[in-house]
Amino acid sequence: MILHSSLRTICSLGLFALCTPAFAQKTSAPNLESRVEAQLAKMTLEEKIGQLNQVPGDISTGTDVGNDDLLAKIRASQIGSVLSHTNFQKKIMMQRVAMNETRLGIPLVFGFDVIHGYKTIFPIPLAQAASWDMGLIERIERIAAEEASADGQHWTFAPMVDVSRDPRWGRVMEGAGEDPFLGSRVAEARIRGFQGTDLAAANTIAACTKHFAGYGFVEAGREYNTVDMSPQRLREFVLPPFKAAADAGSASFMNAFNVLNGVPASMDKNLITNILRTEWKWEGLMVSDWNSFGETIVHGAAEDDLDASAKCLTAGSDMDMAGGTFQRGLKSALEAGRVTQAQIDEAVRRVLRFKFSLGLFDDPNKYLNQQRRDETLERPEFRAVAREAAAKSMVLLKNDGGLLPITEGSRFKKIAIIGPYADSKSNKDYMSFWTLGLGMREYDSTKVVRPAQALKPALEEMGFEVTVTEICLDANCFEKDYSVAIDAARAADMVIMCLGERGINCGESRSVTSLELPYDQNRIASVLGRLSKPTVMVLFNSRPLVFDWARENIPAILVAWQPGFETGNALADVLTGKVNPSGKLPLTFPRSLGQVPIYYNHLNTGRPQEQQGQVWTSGYLDSPVEPAYPFGFGLSYTTFSYSGIKLAKSRYKMTETVEAIVTITNTGRVAGEEVVQCYIRDLSADIARPVKELKGFEKIKLAPGESRELTFRLSEKDLGYWNNELVWKMDPGKFQVFLGGDSKNLKVGAFEMVR
Ligand code: BGC
């Protein structure tokens, strides 16, 4: 805090060369700090409070230019930002009013949830994480930023970096899964993609890292629920991706809806001011979640708008999204002495700095160029990346007898593609809540290449006879379709079942209490599966699902997630072997809901845990402890072998770097990509440590017979940990290092760290 305010003083004295707030380093906007101060000096209290007010646009509430007083409020300098507005011409109009018809001409900043693409829709973020391909993820977000910025959006509310272990929570689809290390790398890649190297460039947008913090751990997976966890666990599992995002220069952060350890996150001073701003030295803009300042009153942690405003601003939050709480309460909070003018100024400074960084003061219409819009949205080459991304995200869970890929000259002649998601023309499928539902987006289903639409011609071209049989999930037609589907399967030599979840059921406020394939689809799987045809189950899902019978009995299972616009093409690429699957699970798949939360980086109990049905062990009477599929798991059409781990020595000084070397060989007949994963275990720390912690990974491509040697380096930042007094430390003693292709099948090496 001392550093922070002295930096401010230096800045206000005009020694600007010394002032480089973390995110502003990435903008070419000139003389940032002096211009912020000059602007601030001109503003009245009302204008300042207006800058802290963000209001929703057309898609969420119907609030719009023309049908309410939005323009009047902009004219009155009561609005600093508009979110979720889709109409390009109206954005031009609003910006014109802000620039020309207000006293100071401060530009508006437009925010939007660009979650898995803007106009070109990519696989959901959880799927992207399953690619473990950071270069690909960065390219996706670069395209998303190209499109969003060309359509007048300046700011995305992404990446969501909430680590979660609970598939009941609908928003697992929006994150990178259960692991803080993988989550950190994904967060950095996404921020690099959105923000590029210069925030002021017309084709970049500001990132907003969310939701700070703990939201992924809502009790019972119930949306918006309470979160309670030890500060040590918070440091270890929740905060790392946020820290990585802050270090990567995320221009903004968003509060979380939840109460964390008793405090609503929007008014959590420890989180926002002590950890994020002071300890991590992050100087960006903190925006609330949708009315989360107002919800502090509902939580029973603030009395009224005045109290909520005072508590949220004092905690370090800056901008009020959609709640109007600051509009109603901040001035009275100042008059009542609950906040100071300096505190309000500090929040306004951050908003102004944000707008300057985006280059909005230099050219408020930079992002509102009709010609660029026409030339940019949905360019064909963006589709090519969407196809690549969808294929690389898919995870092959099972492939008994090498049933896949389907190749020419196969002994099968007739293939039946069956299921509710074989050819769904509904605009509720293959994408997510963020791109579908609630009348929120203008997408129509014709933009999606459906599975059968691409797979059927691809297979026919290879000489197969293909039938497509849809199964309607509506209770009225289910029984009829179901018997038609059985007939179709009987008539075929091979069956491809397309099952899963509706895209509309993925995302915010889509929590569930069952992980079984919804709408009785486990029954479809078992009835078709019992026909004993060679059968492939393709899942379109947004979370780990439970399909116990299919897991045991269906020979091939492919997790396709919600793949976006290029669903069918990507599926055809993978099923026909044009693309060799290389995705790995970013989230453990449980055998049953009863195992949740289940995650790979757990602590050991003091008891054996493998013996099902035995008392005095740490297990279940009715189920194994092991998950259905572990974190990091995914098969390929080829096989890889791992050599033993080579370590230069067995004892290292605590200041030294450990190098673990492994050789991976493609032992199969086709080229393939492998995600080589590096885990550690600290066996003798002063507190109990997880049985495994991911500390590195590399995705490599190997031709048949080719070998590659990889070296993973481990130093104090990998081997240390937060203890229960919240001190980062590393203890001498025994460690293990594990290298392999998933979190279970690993080669192991041992070393010791000594003083
Ligand atoms: C969500 C945020 C989102 C915001 C704006 C909220 O309900 O929690 O993640 O960015 O709405 O759409």
Side-chain angles (χ1 to χ4, degrees):
M1 206 47 207
I2 294 164
L3 175 80
H4 186 82
S5 43
S6 57
L7 196 66
R8 279 289 135 260
T9 316
I10 292 170
C11 295
S12 53
L13 287 174
L15 302 169
F16 306 113
L18 296 171
C19 316
T20 45
F23 76 90
Q25 289 167 358
K26 296 201 170 176
T27 177
S28 61
N31 306 325
L32 199 98
E33 291 304 322
S34 56
R35 294 170 81 194
V36 167
E37 292 308 321
Q39 189 65 59
L40 189 70
K42 291 187 227 159
M43 296 169 75
T44 63
L45 177 63
E46 283 72 18
E47 285 164 342
K48 288 176 180 173
I49 294 176
Q51 283 305 306
L52 306 182
N53 188 29
Q54 183 181 55
V55 299
D58 53 352
I59 60 172
S60 315
T61 56
T63 308
D64 201 358
V65 180
N67 68 9
D68 79 339
D69 57 355
L70 188 60
L71 283 184
K73 285 185 185 151
I74 296 171
R75 210 169 273 123
S77 300
Q78 288 170 2
I79 292 174
S81 173
V82 176
L83 84 144
S84 306
H85 209 294
T86 51
N87 187 300
F88 189 66
Q89 295 308 329
K90 287 177 181 172
K91 276 186 287 224
I92 294 178
M93 190 193 295
M94 287 187 277
Q95 195 67 301
R96 195 182 312 125
V97 170
M99 296 312 296
N100 302 336
E101 298 178 33
T102 62
R103 194 178 74 88
L104 293 174
I106 299 177
L108 291 168
V109 59
F110 296 115
F112 201 85
D113 289 283
V114 184
I115 306 297
H116 50 114
Y118 184 67
K119 292 284 177 187
T120 303
I121 299 303
F122 295 90
I124 56 171
L126 185 65
Q128 293 179 29
S131 76
W132 295 59
D133 186 334
M134 301 306 119
L136 175 66
I137 293 174
E138 185 174 339
R139 277 192 287 139
I140 291 171
E141 302 307 22
R142 193 78 294 287
I143 292 169
E146 286 277 356
E147 288 192 332
S149 61
D151 197 35
Q153 312 294 2
H154 310 129
W155 183 14
T156 174
F157 303 119
M160 185 190 101
V161 305
D162 296 305
V163 166
S164 184
R165 302 161 171 173
D166 198 329
R168 290 173 295 185
W169 189 51
R171 293 194 91 163
V172 292
M173 57 73 55
E174 210 181 322
E178 74 189 36
D179 184 68
F181 184 89
L182 176 61
S184 299
R185 304 295 79 80
V186 172
E188 292 159 355
R190 295 188 69 190
I191 290 165
R192 280 196 303 271
F194 289 134
Q195 298 192 164
T197 50
D198 181 7
L199 266 182
N203 65 348
T204 58
I205 54 176
C208 183
T209 300
K210 66 192 191 184
H211 304 84
F212 201 56
Y215 190 26
F217 283 77
V218 283
E219 282 176 0
R222 179 158 71 88
E223 186 59 296
Y224 313 127
N225 207 359
T226 305
V227 178
D228 213 299
M229 63 161 58
S230 75
Q232 190 273 336
R233 289 214 128 187
L234 190 76
R235 291 271 177 178
E236 177 150 11
F237 294 110
V238 172
L239 294 186
F242 288 100
K243 171 75 163 67
D247 291 346
S250 178
S252 67
F253 265 50
M254 186 187 290
N255 300 122
F257 282 127
N258 54 281
V259 169
L260 173 65
N261 298 337
V263 183
S266 300
M267 51 182 263
D268 191 332
K269 190 170 179 188
N270 182 43
L271 266 185
I272 307 164
T273 296
N274 298 355
I275 297 178
L276 177 60
R277 295 201 190 278
T278 309
E279 188 183 320
W280 298 352
K281 302 184 174 54
W282 178 80
E283 301 206 347
L285 173 71
M286 187 86 201
V287 65
S288 77
D289 202 347
W290 189 283
N291 188 33
S292 66
F293 294 169
E295 287 188 8
T296 60
I297 303 171
V298 189
H299 287 303
E303 203 175 296
D304 52 21
D305 289 330
L306 184 159
D307 197 22
S309 298
K311 285 172 172 160
C312 293
L313 189 82
T314 308
S317 299
D318 301 315
M319 186 182 266
D320 182 353
M321 177 194 284
T325 308
F326 275 0
Q327 274 291 299
R328 296 185 300 272
L330 197 52
K331 190 173 177 194
S332 359
L334 179 70
E335 285 160 2
R338 294 282 309 280
V339 299
T340 63
Q341 185 61 55
Q343 284 173 319
I344 295 178
D345 285 354
E346 192 57 31
V348 177
R349 240 182 224 113
R350 293 189 192 114
V351 175
L352 294 175
R353 194 182 294 127
F354 187 69
K355 293 183 174 184
F356 273 110
S357 301
L358 284 160
L360 289 172
F361 278 93
D362 298 307
D363 180 0
N365 295 315
K366 171 182 266 188
Y367 303 78
L368 293 167
N369 176 325
Q370 183 70 53
Q371 191 188 339
R372 183 161 88 89
R373 183 180 191 274
D374 295 343
E375 289 166 0
T376 306
L377 301 185
E378 291 189 55
R379 286 217 300 263
E381 63 265 35
F382 297 164
R383 281 241 172 199
V385 179
R387 179 172 182 164
E388 178 189 348
K392 285 195 167 167
S393 303
M394 293 183 186
V395 183
L396 183 65
L397 293 182
K398 197 175 170 192
N399 194 18
D400 283 0
L403 181 59
L404 292 174
I406 304 167
T407 49
E408 266 171 81
S410 139
R411 62 197 158 94
F412 311 123
K413 283 279 159 286
K414 293 183 187 167
I415 300 181
I417 307 173
I418 301 178
Y421 303 104
D423 201 29
S424 170
K425 293 164 196 76
S426 160
N427 68 357
K428 295 186 167 53
D429 295 325
Y430 312 121
M431 299 193 276
S432 81
F433 154 82
W434 290 112
T435 49
L436 305 164
L438 299 180
M440 279 182 60
R441 302 288 191 278
E442 63 205 43
Y443 298 120
D444 59 68
S445 53
T446 58
K447 301 221 168 154
V448 177
V449 181
R450 305 184 301 278
Q453 204 181 0
L455 191 54
K456 185 170 187 282
L459 293 171
E460 282 170 347
E461 211 169 287
M462 293 163 71
F464 295 100
E465 270 176 52
V466 183
T467 58
V468 177
T469 310
E470 291 186 73
I471 301 182
C472 147
L473 293 172
D474 190 323
N476 300 327
C477 52
F478 182 79
E479 289 302 329
K480 177 174 69 60
D481 283 2
Y482 191 59
S483 53
V484 176
I486 294 171
D487 291 345
R490 280 213 178 97
D493 306 318
M494 181 186 195
V495 176
I496 300 172
M497 298 191 293
C498 295
L499 308 178
E501 294 173 288
R502 305 227 80 154
I504 191 75
N505 290 342
C506 310
E508 186 177 346
S509 79
R510 269 66 175 172
S511 290
V512 292
T513 59
S514 167
L515 297 177
E516 298 285 325
L517 284 177
Y519 307 110
D520 218 8
Q521 290 176 86
N522 273 329
R523 188 167 135 224
I524 300 177
S526 67
V527 170
L528 297 185
R530 276 183 230 276
L531 299 175
S532 298
K533 305 273 177 179
T535 301
V536 182
M537 179 166 92
V538 177
L539 287 176
F540 295 99
N541 56 323
S542 62
R543 63 181 110 222
L545 293 172
V546 166
F547 39 88
D548 219 35
W549 189 90
R551 186 170 57 80
E552 295 284 346
N553 298 286
I554 302 284
I557 302 176
L558 179 75
V559 167
W561 312 105
Q562 305 293 358
F565 275 4
E566 285 293 310
T567 294
N569 286 326
L571 185 65
D573 289 345
V574 169
L575 293 184
T576 61
K578 222 165 143 186
V579 173
N580 187 351
S582 60
K584 302 270 188 176
L585 296 178
L587 203 53
T588 303
F589 272 45
R591 285 165 188 264
S592 66
L593 178 63
Q595 291 183 314
V596 171
I598 180 167
Y599 50 97
Y600 86 93
N601 46 5
H602 58 84
L603 303 183
N604 232 2
T605 70
R607 296 294 175 98
Q609 62 178 32
E610 307 303 338
Q611 295 112 319
Q612 177 189 341
Q614 285 191 23
V615 293
W616 320 126
T617 66
S618 175
Y620 300 106
L621 290 180
D622 58 351
S623 163
V625 169
E626 288 301 303
Y629 299 99
F631 174 81
F633 179 80
L635 301 171
S636 161
Y637 295 150
T638 190
T639 45
F640 299 98
S641 77
Y642 283 74
S643 71
I645 299 176
K646 272 194 283 177
L647 290 161
K649 42 188 185 171
S650 57
R651 287 158 72 87
Y652 294 82
K653 291 231 176 63
M654 306 236 315
T655 48
E656 283 181 309
T657 297
V658 178
E659 289 193 342
I661 302 169
V662 70
T663 301
I664 304 103
T665 306
N666 181 342
T667 46
R669 269 174 294 184
V670 288
E673 287 187 274
E674 169 74 327
V675 180
V676 183
Q677 300 160 42
C678 173
Y679 299 85
I680 62 146
R681 180 170 183 194
D682 183 346
L683 285 158
S684 46
D686 288 348
I687 66 172
R689 304 295 305 142
V691 295
K692 264 164 213 142
E693 297 175 71
L694 184 72
K695 293 296 174 186
F697 62 87
E698 205 168 323
K699 190 163 188 173
I700 55 169
K701 185 163 189 174
L702 294 176
E706 189 185 349
S707 294
R708 174 98 49 93
E709 186 181 89
L710 289 184
T711 303
F712 289 89
R713 293 184 178 79
L714 301 163
S715 61
E716 183 266 351
K717 72 177 180 5
D718 308 295
L719 303 174
Y721 65 93
W722 292 100
N723 75 3
N724 60 343
E725 286 157 14
L726 304 187
V727 176
W728 174 263
K729 69 195 284 264
M730 173 181 164
D731 299 322
K734 290 187 173 141
F735 286 83
Q736 286 173 319
V737 56
F738 309 88
L739 293 168
D742 65 65
S743 64
K744 281 285 171 214
N745 291 304
L746 295 157
K747 299 287 178 180
V748 56
F751 61 91
E752 207 171 327
M753 299 307 287
V754 294
R755 282 192 207 283

